[in-house]
Amino acid sequence: MTIIGEDLPDVEDTTVEELRAQQEQLEQARRDLADRAREERERAEQQLAAERRRAERELARRQREIDDAERRLLRTERRLRKEAASSGRHVDLPRRPRRAARRSDSELLDAARAELSTRVPRLGLAATLALGAGLLLALGSTLSTDRVEQEQTQPLTVLDTAQADLRDAVSSLDSELVRYATGDPVPPDDAGRLPSVTAALEVLGREGIDPYAAERLSEAEPGLSGDAVSPVRAATAWQDTRRDMASAVSSWDVEREIEELRPGSALGTLLLWAGALVLVVAAVVLLRAGAKVASAFFVLAALSTSLLVVQDTQPGWRRAVVAHEEASDRPAGLQQVVEDDLRVMVGLRSLDPWQTEDDEYGYWNQHYGLEDGSDPDGALAQARADLGRVLTGDSSQEEQRTAALDLVAAADEVRDPLEADLVTAREAVVAESTTGPSAGLLGAGLGLAVLLPFAGLGAESLARRRRETP
């Protein structure tokens, strides 16, 4: 038995399972330490490799600087010797022996020499970018040269011609109003309509015109063909019918057809700009890598894409569209002037007393609507002034009829050359829509953009070989 106070060794009461668990814990700790040591060793090796690569690059850079300095020194020495020989003077310059091939002093120096090889830096990436840019530019050029067929321009011709014919019908309607207002109404035709309305319906019944455009016009009352309605109602019916005629084929319809004829495609334009951007990116990559010659060629290739972009912007098309819009506005604006004057004549518009004066500030002598050159001879302005003097004076209905009909006739005479200009402008739009770009300009731009990058990579490689040649 144990006696209290007796000095005996401690006895550890540990089982076999507990000993085995302690042994496993020790083994796991040993493995963890081994893994941690391996990771630290690998991390240290990676850091050493990175430092080694940095040292190799730095040695390569410094060796390039030394080689460049030696080449400059040799060139300067040769130049001085040539100048001395040409001037007859003797220059005692010790000849520099050709530098012997450098020996591999260490592994770092060998790695630096390998870094100075003639291989173009970023060659694979640059070639891939050049190939991608070429494909983008080729596809973009194909899409941007897309043009419509001649048959596809027929709807524009139909609408443009219909607008011109409707303006003729409007002019006939104005004459019918004048005759009604002066006591000589035009009798209706066999269909019970005014001749101008019948002519307008024939125009709107052509193939290619929206059938809905004729619905409102077909309901027009023949109020100007008799005394069945009051003068105010007849004048109001004239104004509504006139505007229905003028807007039956709207300018929006014509503009929509013109937009359908736009050459090229938005996707083609996007691809051309994307190809140019890829070339610029490749040039920046090569420049940062030290390949200045190849970078310069890539920049030239990017600039040559301007030949493709210029033909894609279609400057001729845009000028033709603007010219067509202006040519279409002139005859319509001319008839607006006639409408304003006839509205004064039939009482739909009143003038202030100062506007009835026969001076430069009078209404009949103001030519705001004719200042765009649509009345070059002043014939319409003179007809307006004559009508104003007749209306403000003590004149008979026959005199008013004669002056108003002269105004309508003068407007028609001035409008004829404007309609001819509109036909010329439409033909220019059709020509720009169906004619493709210059094949020479397109071929030159695409050829330069595709070939210059690869020529630049070859020139860079050749330049590097020459620099490395002793």
Side-chain angles (χ1 to χ4, degrees):
M1 61 180 294
T2 302
I3 300 174
I4 296 176
E6 187 177 1
D7 186 12
L8 295 177
D10 295 336
V11 179
E12 182 179 1
D13 187 11
T14 304
T15 64
V16 175
E17 289 77 9
E18 290 175 347
L19 290 173
R20 186 179 296 111
Q22 292 176 3
Q23 185 178 1
E24 291 178 355
Q25 292 176 357
L26 291 174
E27 288 293 332
Q28 181 64 35
R30 186 186 63 79
R31 286 194 297 269
D32 291 343
L33 290 174
D35 292 339
R36 190 176 302 111
R38 185 175 60 257
E39 292 176 357
E40 292 178 355
R41 184 173 60 254
E42 291 176 353
R43 188 180 303 110
E45 290 176 353
Q46 292 176 358
Q47 292 177 354
L48 287 175
E51 292 294 334
R52 183 187 184 91
R53 287 193 294 271
R54 281 196 293 270
E56 290 173 357
R57 287 195 294 269
E58 181 65 20
L59 283 174
R61 185 185 64 79
R62 293 182 180 181
Q63 188 62 53
R64 283 196 297 270
E65 293 177 354
I66 293 173
D67 292 343
D68 291 340
E70 289 181 353
R71 281 192 290 270
R72 288 195 298 269
L73 182 60
L74 289 174
R75 286 195 296 269
T76 303
E77 181 180 343
R78 286 195 296 268
R79 180 175 58 79
L80 291 175
R81 290 184 182 279
K82 289 180 181 180
E83 291 177 356
S86 61
S87 61
R89 293 178 298 174
H90 176 70
V91 177
D92 188 11
L93 289 176
R95 289 189 175 275
R96 294 174 57 87
R98 293 181 63 85
R99 185 177 55 184
R102 295 186 298 270
R103 293 177 298 176
S104 172
D105 297 330
S106 65
E107 292 182 359
L108 289 179
L109 192 56
D110 292 338
R113 186 173 293 110
E115 189 73 17
L116 288 172
S117 65
T118 59
R119 189 173 65 86
V120 179
R122 303 286 186 177
L123 177 62
L125 178 60
T128 302
L129 291 176
L131 182 60
L135 293 176
L136 290 174
L137 293 172
L139 183 57
S141 299
T142 302
L143 294 176
S144 66
T145 56
D146 184 32
R147 298 294 185 270
V148 299
E149 300 295 335
Q150 188 71 32
E151 294 77 11
Q152 295 176 267
T153 64
Q154 190 62 28
L156 173 62
T157 303
V158 170
L159 294 179
D160 238 15
T161 305
Q163 280 190 329
D165 294 339
L166 287 173
R167 283 190 285 267
D168 291 337
V170 167
S171 180
S172 299
L173 182 64
D174 292 342
S175 299
E176 293 164 356
L177 170 70
V178 171
R179 294 185 59 180
Y180 171 83
T182 56
D184 185 22
V186 177
D189 55 17
D190 296 338
R193 299 190 182 96
L194 291 171
S196 60
V197 175
T198 301
L201 290 175
E202 290 178 356
V203 172
L204 297 178
R206 296 173 184 172
E207 184 178 359
I209 304 297
D210 186 4
Y212 178 76
E215 290 186 8
R216 291 186 60 186
L217 195 59
S218 62
E219 300 174 358
E221 298 180 1
L224 303 180
S225 60
D227 298 331
V229 296
S230 64
V232 174
R233 181 177 177 183
T236 303
W238 159 79
Q239 181 175 253
D240 295 339
T241 303
R242 192 182 198 278
R243 293 179 179 176
D244 288 340
M245 286 184 182
S247 61
V249 179
S250 67
S251 59
W252 296 104
D253 297 331
V254 177
E255 291 176 3
R256 185 172 58 251
E257 288 298 332
I258 291 178
E259 189 63 26
E260 291 293 330
L261 303 181
R262 177 185 291 274
S265 70
L267 178 59
T269 303
L270 179 62
L271 292 177
L272 289 178
W273 283 107
L277 180 60
V278 170
L279 290 175
V280 172
V281 170
V284 173
V285 169
L286 289 171
L287 183 62
R288 291 175 63 87
K292 297 181 180 179
V293 176
S295 177
F297 274 80
F298 271 77
V299 171
L300 292 176
L303 292 177
S304 67
T305 60
S306 61
L307 298 177
L308 304 175
V309 175
V310 164
Q311 64 84 23
D312 181 65
T313 55
Q314 304 122 12
W317 156 263
R318 299 180 187 277
R319 288 194 297 268
V321 171
V322 172
H324 180 272
E325 291 178 355
E326 295 175 351
S328 179
D329 290 340
R330 291 191 188 99
L334 193 67
Q335 287 198 325
Q336 182 63 45
V337 174
V338 176
E339 179 185 359
D340 293 340
D341 293 347
L342 295 183
R343 288 178 66 237
V344 174
M345 175 183 173
V346 297
L348 293 179
R349 177 181 178 180
S350 60
L351 299 179
D352 295 330
W354 64 269
Q355 291 180 301
T356 60
E357 299 293 335
D358 190 11
D359 55 22
E360 60 178 330
Y361 302 106
Y363 169 80
W364 301 101
N365 294 320
Q366 301 270 338
H367 310 306
Y368 297 116
L370 306 177
E371 292 178 352
D372 60 351
S374 55
D375 184 27
D377 298 331
L380 184 58
Q382 184 61 45
R384 294 185 67 245
D386 294 340
L387 178 61
R389 282 191 291 270
V390 169
L391 294 180
T392 54
D394 187 10
S395 59
S396 62
Q397 285 190 336
E398 184 176 353
E399 291 175 337
Q400 293 180 6
R401 182 189 313 125
T402 301
L405 291 178
D406 287 345
L407 173 65
V408 176
D412 289 341
E413 185 176 355
V414 172
R415 187 167 53 86
D416 287 340
L418 301 182
E419 298 288 3
D421 293 341
L422 178 57
V423 173
T424 302
R426 182 178 68 245
E427 291 175 350
V429 171
V430 170
E432 291 290 338
S433 301
T434 56
T435 304
S438 171
L441 186 67
L442 192 64
L446 188 58
L448 291 173
V450 173
L451 297 178
L452 279 175
F454 295 99
L457 294 176
E460 178 69 28
S461 179
L462 182 61
R464 286 173 174 267
R465 287 194 184 95
R466 290 181 176 176
R467 285 199 299 265
E468 291 301 317
T469 302

